[in-house]
Amino acid sequence: MNTAHTKPVPAGTTARLVTTHTLITLDARHPFTAKSLLDAQDMHRTVMSGFQGWVDDGSRDARAQMSVLSSWALDLRNARLSLVVQSAVPGDWSRLPRAALTEAPESLVVDRTFRVGDRVDFRTVVNPVTSRPSPAAGPGRSRGVRVGHTRPELVKTWFARRLQAAGEPAVAPDGVVRIGAEADIERLALRVLPKVSSHQAHKGLRIVRAEIRGVLRVTDPETFVGALSQGVGHGRAYSCGLILVR
């Protein structure tokens, strides 16, 4: 009897990601697209328009319930906005103006198993912020203000704190949630992006953004899949935190 493939896999050495990715390509010159680019709240509505009816109307954590994350990139030369939406449920994009689409949205189911030691190319746009005590909070209060990092070296430090070497816990002693992977921080490509803002319900909202590319080595598959599913850092309702891998 051949038992070469019957050896059990040690617990915790693999984890499986099942999710849906949709690529939406929009004409950057169309008023609908221009409005989404101009206001972060409009971009949020564009993303969430594909998921009406999955949760109760008015649910405060609707995005998190459906594990909706997004990321976008603007091609100025060709006047195209590429929007990637990740979700636990399929989206219905029929509400998007047909004239704003340069091509039909493309969806696919991602079903991938990650193992300790796997190396993956990645790209992510993050909201690198740190919380500092607010003078208005008063003594004995933990309330603070979020300050965004706009210098590349500080963004790298922010991301390095979320990396997880083999054997380290998923949550650092200072409470920072790690991503289940490590990287050579000096080999990462980093670009500080323009801020996005809103003048609507969240008046004065300004989201600092930075793009990070490189190679990750998986050290904790369950934590890694959790980071891929739930995102990293703040600003996840505003197209930050989605880690795309290949």
Side-chain angles (χ1 to χ4, degrees):
M1 180 178 174
N2 185 357
T3 60
H5 300 290
T6 61
K7 184 177 180 180
V9 177
T13 60
T14 67
R16 184 181 181 186
L17 172 72
V18 180
T19 190
T20 298
H21 279 179
T22 301
L23 173 61
I24 302 168
T25 308
L26 296 162
D27 181 355
R29 294 164 296 196
H30 191 279
F32 175 84
T33 311
K35 192 177 178 184
S36 294
L37 284 170
L38 183 64
D39 196 290
Q41 195 64 29
D42 276 314
M43 182 67 79
H44 172 68
R45 277 195 284 267
T46 295
V47 171
M48 296 305 295
S49 68
F51 302 99
Q52 294 182 19
W54 282 104
V55 298
D56 293 336
D57 289 344
S59 293
R60 297 188 59 172
D61 60 347
R63 185 203 60 78
Q65 286 186 55
M66 297 178 286
S67 299
V68 176
L69 295 168
S70 63
S71 183
W72 55 266
L74 181 62
D75 179 355
L76 288 172
R77 185 182 300 274
N78 297 299
R80 287 191 171 192
L81 174 71
S82 297
L83 174 63
V84 177
V85 181
Q86 176 178 290
S87 56
V89 295
D92 174 9
W93 304 105
S94 61
R95 297 178 184 85
L96 295 177
R98 187 170 299 180
L101 294 166
T102 61
E103 52 194 74
E106 297 181 24
S107 296
L108 61 88
V109 174
V110 176
D111 185 349
R112 184 169 176 181
T113 297
F114 294 93
R115 296 171 172 81
V116 171
D118 281 353
R119 296 173 66 86
V120 296
D121 295 325
F122 83 99
R123 172 189 179 269
T124 185
V125 173
V126 297
N127 173 220
V129 297
T130 187
S131 183
R132 294 180 181 172
S134 170
R141 299 196 180 182
S142 58
R143 182 183 172 188
V145 293
R146 291 177 185 169
V147 178
H149 297 308
T150 56
R151 289 163 49 192
E153 63 272 23
L154 294 180
V155 176
K156 277 192 176 183
T157 299
W158 179 93
F159 190 68
R161 293 179 63 209
R162 283 147 182 85
L163 297 175
Q164 183 178 347
E168 289 186 348
V171 180
D174 60 359
V176 171
V177 178
R178 292 167 167 156
I179 65 170
E182 59 186 0
D184 183 345
I185 198 72
E186 297 305 321
R187 295 176 69 89
L188 297 179
L190 189 146
R191 181 166 61 114
V192 175
L193 301 174
K195 297 176 184 178
V196 296
S197 60
S198 178
H199 303 284
Q200 299 181 39
H202 298 281
K203 189 174 182 180
L205 174 74
R206 292 178 66 82
I207 303 292
V208 172
R209 302 182 305 140
E211 178 191 63
I212 306 172
R213 296 175 180 262
V215 177
L216 293 171
R217 178 181 175 275
V218 179
T219 56
D220 181 342
E222 283 193 22
T223 300
F224 186 61
V225 166
L228 296 182
S229 301
Q230 301 301 323
V232 58
H234 293 285
R236 282 173 276 184
Y238 301 105
S239 297
C240 294
L242 172 60
I243 305 172
L244 295 170
V245 301
R246 61 181 177 85

